[in-house]
Amino acid sequence: MMTIRVLIADDHPVFRRGLRAALGAAADIEVAGEAVDGPSAVTAAVELAVDVVLMDLHVPGTTGIDATRELALRAPGVAVLVLTMLDNDESLFTAMRAGARGYLVKGADEARIIRSIRAVVAGDLLLGPGVAERALAYFARSASGHRAARPFPELTDREVEVLELIAEGLPNNAIALRLHLSAKTVRNHVSAVFAKLHVEHRSEAIVRARRAGLGKVSLE
């Protein structure tokens, strides 16, 4: 019988301990290690050669999304199964775009988590109850070209362009030049973005945008 090696990435020791105990009920699953933040999760997943990472999205260091994205690049054979308190479309679809193969909300019972681990190792895409329905609706919108299929559907296409440039670190005057807009128009777009995302500061908007995969900065 194949043994599935699992890494638990979560900053709450009580949760990790409980999850480790729950997985102990499955003879074919071995908890190979634990990580308390994003960078250590990536490092441990590679060094321990695990098959599955149970990834919380709110981990210190980097987000679980960033860690998932990095794992997809460094260790594409490792299946990331998100296990989070976040039950919203933005987190779900951002995680899937980052490379997660499954998404469960904390509170899923032990049997479902074990089945999910086996499923993602087998190459299946696994979504928890309620999540699957939203995903199907998402792909239906995507097929029709609906803007709800992209990050931040509450923003207009122009506002997403502005947010992406904010996430790249550009000030308003540079955004105006890039988009061939007046400075006043850019200020209006920035204000609208902040209001719709319910953020007060530019730094908060940058964090939200980068978590959604916007604003990739070239390292060259």
Side-chain angles (χ1 to χ4, degrees):
M1 178 172 58
M2 171 189 171
T3 298
I4 302 172
R5 292 169 57 78
V6 173
L7 176 77
I8 301 173
D10 195 295
D11 62 334
H12 294 286
V14 174
F15 182 80
R16 293 199 309 273
R17 195 158 48 243
L19 188 54
R20 177 184 279 271
L23 297 181
D28 59 336
I29 294 177
E30 172 195 357
V31 178
E34 299 178 6
V36 299
D37 56 40
S40 65
V42 174
T43 299
V46 173
E47 291 182 352
L48 297 173
V50 299
D51 301 297
V52 177
V53 175
L54 292 175
M55 181 77 77
D56 186 18
L57 294 185
H58 272 174
V59 287
T62 62
T63 67
I65 297 290
D66 292 333
T68 298
R69 190 176 292 115
E70 187 170 350
L71 270 173
L73 294 173
R74 292 182 54 185
V78 177
V80 174
L81 175 59
V82 172
L83 189 54
T84 178
M85 293 293 293
L86 301 176
D87 187 14
N88 60 75
D89 287 356
E90 181 182 334
S91 299
L92 165 63
F93 299 129
T94 302
M96 302 311 286
R97 279 193 294 270
R101 296 190 196 169
Y103 194 102
L104 294 177
V105 177
K106 285 182 177 177
D109 62 31
E110 169 187 320
R112 181 174 295 279
I113 294 172
I114 290 172
R115 286 199 305 272
S116 301
I117 290 171
R118 291 168 178 158
V120 296
V121 166
D124 294 338
L125 178 65
L126 196 290
L127 302 174
V131 176
E133 289 183 10
R134 299 211 307 275
L136 288 173
Y138 167 85
F139 287 119
R141 292 192 297 267
S142 180
S144 66
H146 196 286
R147 84 182 192 197
R150 58 149 166 80
F152 308 114
E154 66 271 41
L155 303 184
T156 66
D157 290 342
R158 177 63 86 186
E159 288 164 352
V160 170
E161 285 184 286
V162 170
L163 177 60
E164 179 142 28
L165 294 176
I166 290 174
E168 290 180 8
L170 271 64
N172 285 2
N173 58 349
I175 294 174
L177 287 173
R178 180 77 67 86
L179 298 180
H180 306 288
L181 299 173
S182 71
K184 181 181 178 181
T185 299
V186 170
R187 286 198 300 273
N188 290 339
H189 284 313
V190 171
S191 296
V193 168
F194 285 14
K196 290 179 179 179
L197 298 187
H198 305 290
V199 300
E200 295 184 359
H201 306 291
R202 207 174 188 89
S203 58
E204 293 179 72
I206 291 173
V207 170
R208 290 282 303 278
R210 290 186 176 176
R211 282 178 179 169
L214 300 181
K216 292 183 176 60
V217 178
S218 172
L219 298 178
E220 297 179 354

